[in-house]
């Protein structure tokens, strides 16, 4: 579909994004048009209704499209627009997950994971049918699109796909119990915001009981709107908390750099300094110090990545 659209759009003045090959944009002095393609589903956004109409005619001539009208439902995402901004959720998808797991009538949980839970790939009875667990975790990972608060536990449980055990399934059902409490929970993107990128990065040092790898977590905001987040296990075992902190900060910086490149690609100027917040003063001191000592030289590459790209600030984890 993307290749067909490319051949169709060349004479129409559209530009294919280098940061997201499924995105096509066209900007003139007065209008901006964006087209996003996912297999045979297409989204169109513009500040001109006439530009949208013209684009629909062009696409219909080539592909005989079905016009679904204003965006309300797309790939499991429910979208609601107002003067205040755009709200996204996956309520229908969440309820379907609960129904498939026979948990529609379950008691809601206050948190997505028991804070005292210590999951291991060696403890617990192996599941006879691991496909059920794998399907459930895959569905929960897709729910992360609008529910960032289940990202950590969802990615943690995805580490046990090869040989899932009963405690892993119980933890996955705990996520569903948490979702039951607020199936309509989602994201809000305000129409009135300051174009300023701010990110927060943190790490849980040596958190994996099997490999002693650290867990990185970050979130990126444009203004007050959350636009990107992730939680994943670091590929390298860190020998100190500061090393793991700096690796987490470097990962967050890479995400910010991609986001800035994406904004440039769609001709959106971002002049303010990008901010990265961390709760560790020592990591910030290393970022500001150009002299590498024996104990920190093994993270020199990450230090340069962070220092050259981002302004570092301290934030307390406790009020």
């Amino acid at each position: 579909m993307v290749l067909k659209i490319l051949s169709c759009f060349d004479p129409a003045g559209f530009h294919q994004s280098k940061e997201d090959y499924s995105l096509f944009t066209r900007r003139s002095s007065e209008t901006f048009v964006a087209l996003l393609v996912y297999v045979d589903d297409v989204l169109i956004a513009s500040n001109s209704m006439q530009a949208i109409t013209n684009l629909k005619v062009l696409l219909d001539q080539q592909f005989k499209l079905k016009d679904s009208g204003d965006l309300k439902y797309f790939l499991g995402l429910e979208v609601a627009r107002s003067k205040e901004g755009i709200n996204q959720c996956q309520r229908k998808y969440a309820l379907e997950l609960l129904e498939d797991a026979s948990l529609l009538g379950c008691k809601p949980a206050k948190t997505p994971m028991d804070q005292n839970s210590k999951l291991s790939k060696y403890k617990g009875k192996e599941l006879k049918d691991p496909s059920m667990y794998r399907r459930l975790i895959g569905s929960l990972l897709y729910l992360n699109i609008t529910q960032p608060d289940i990202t950590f536990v969802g990615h943690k449980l995805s580490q046990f796909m090869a040989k899932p055990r009963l405690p892993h399934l119980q933890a996955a059902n705990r996520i569903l119990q948490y979702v039951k409490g607020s199936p309509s929970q989602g994201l809000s993107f305000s129409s009135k915001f300051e174009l300023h990128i701010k990110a927060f990065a943190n790490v849980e040092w040596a958190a994996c009981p099997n490999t002693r790898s650290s867990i990185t977590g970050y979130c990126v905001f444009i203004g007050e709107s959350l636009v990107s987040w992730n939680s994943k296990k670091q590929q390298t075992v860190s020998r100190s908390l500061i090393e793991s902190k700096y690796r987490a900060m470097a990962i967050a910086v890479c995400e910010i750099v991609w986001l800035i490149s994406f904004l440039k690609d769609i001709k959106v100027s971002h002049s303010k300094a990008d901010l990265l917040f961390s709760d560790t003063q020592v990591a910030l001191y290393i970022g500001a110090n150009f002299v590498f000592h024996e104990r920190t030289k093994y993270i020199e590459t990450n230090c340069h990545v962070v220092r050259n790209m981002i302004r570092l600030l301290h934030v307390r984890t406790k009020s």
Side-chain angles (χ1 to χ4, degrees):
M1 182 71 170
V2 172
L3 293 176
K4 291 182 179 179
I5 287 182
L6 269 175
S7 62
C8 173
F9 279 175
D10 280 343
F14 276 83
H15 163 74
Q16 185 180 21
S17 171
K18 295 179 181 179
E19 307 302 328
D20 186 344
Y21 292 143
S22 298
L23 177 65
F24 300 84
T25 59
R26 182 180 64 190
R27 179 182 289 276
S28 65
S29 58
E30 297 181 353
T31 63
F32 173 78
V33 184
L35 182 141
L36 187 66
V37 182
Y38 182 83
V39 190
D40 57 352
D41 293 297
V42 177
L43 285 180
I44 303 175
S46 176
N47 60 345
S48 169
M49 286 302 302
Q50 186 59 48
I52 293 178
T53 301
N54 295 339
L55 181 55
K56 287 180 179 179
V57 172
L58 175 63
L59 291 173
D60 188 59
Q61 291 174 350
Q62 299 290 329
F63 307 109
K64 302 300 180 184
L65 296 182
K66 176 185 177 182
D67 186 357
S68 299
D70 293 341
L71 177 61
K72 294 182 180 179
Y73 191 82
F74 183 75
L75 301 176
L77 297 177
E78 299 174 47
V79 182
R81 299 179 61 190
S82 66
K83 293 182 179 179
E84 287 72 30
I86 298 175
N87 295 318
Q88 289 184 352
C89 72
Q90 293 171 279
R91 182 178 184 276
K92 182 176 181 293
Y93 180 77
L95 293 177
E96 288 175 350
L97 286 182
L98 289 166
E99 185 177 7
D100 289 343
S102 300
L103 291 175
L104 268 177
C106 70
K107 181 180 179 181
K110 294 183 179 180
T111 59
M113 184 179 185
D114 183 357
Q115 64 178 356
N116 298 318
S117 176
K118 301 294 182 182
L119 298 174
S120 171
K121 63 180 181 181
Y122 302 114
K123 295 181 180 180
K125 182 181 178 181
E126 280 192 37
L127 298 179
K128 295 182 179 180
D129 182 15
S131 62
M132 175 186 63
Y133 176 83
R134 294 164 185 163
R135 184 170 61 253
L136 175 57
I137 297 302
S139 300
L140 289 172
L141 291 177
Y142 190 69
L143 193 61
N144 290 347
I145 296 175
T146 57
Q147 297 206 18
D149 46 351
I150 67 172
T151 299
F152 171 79
V153 60
H155 285 194
K156 188 177 184 68
L157 293 176
S158 67
Q159 301 174 26
F160 309 111
M161 291 288 206
K163 291 184 178 180
R165 298 175 182 270
L166 183 59
H168 308 149
L169 180 61
Q170 292 171 340
N173 288 333
R174 169 67 179 256
I175 301 178
L176 289 176
Q177 288 180 266
Y178 173 74
V179 171
K180 168 68 183 303
S182 54
S184 300
Q185 181 173 309
L187 298 174
S188 295
F189 304 96
S190 176
S191 58
K192 300 176 182 179
F193 67 94
E194 182 183 25
L195 187 57
H196 192 191
I197 296 177
K198 295 175 288 185
F200 298 81
N202 208 340
V203 70
E204 188 177 1
W205 181 45
C208 179
N210 301 312
T211 64
R212 286 305 171 191
S213 297
S214 303
I215 307 296
T216 291
Y218 70 80
C219 56
V220 184
F221 293 79
I222 295 183
E224 301 301 322
S225 299
L226 179 63
V227 296
S228 180
W229 59 91
N230 202 355
S231 174
K232 64 183 300 184
K233 187 163 63 175
Q234 293 184 0
Q235 296 179 350
T236 305
V237 178
S238 300
R239 292 182 288 174
S240 69
L241 173 62
I242 299 304
E243 179 185 355
S244 65
K245 288 274 187 181
Y246 237 99
R247 294 190 191 281
M249 292 164 67
I251 293 172
V253 167
C254 292
E255 181 68 14
I256 294 172
V257 170
W258 176 85
L259 185 57
I260 293 172
S261 299
F262 178 78
L263 292 176
K264 289 181 178 178
D265 200 27
I266 60 176
K267 311 301 181 184
V268 174
S269 60
H270 178 260
S271 57
K272 294 194 175 184
D274 312 305
L275 304 180
L276 175 60
F277 294 87
S278 175
D279 65 343
T280 306
Q281 290 279 19
V282 177
L284 302 184
Y285 293 151
I286 294 175
N289 185 8
F290 281 86
V291 179
F292 285 89
H293 303 285
E294 184 67 26
R295 294 178 63 188
T296 59
K297 66 181 182 180
Y298 51 84
I299 56 172
E300 180 176 356
T301 303
N302 290 315
C303 289
H304 279 296
V305 168
V306 174
R307 178 189 298 122
N308 294 337
M309 297 292 182
I310 295 297
R311 181 184 173 192
L312 302 176
L313 294 172
H314 180 257
V315 61
R316 297 177 61 185
T317 53
K318 296 181 180 180
S319 57

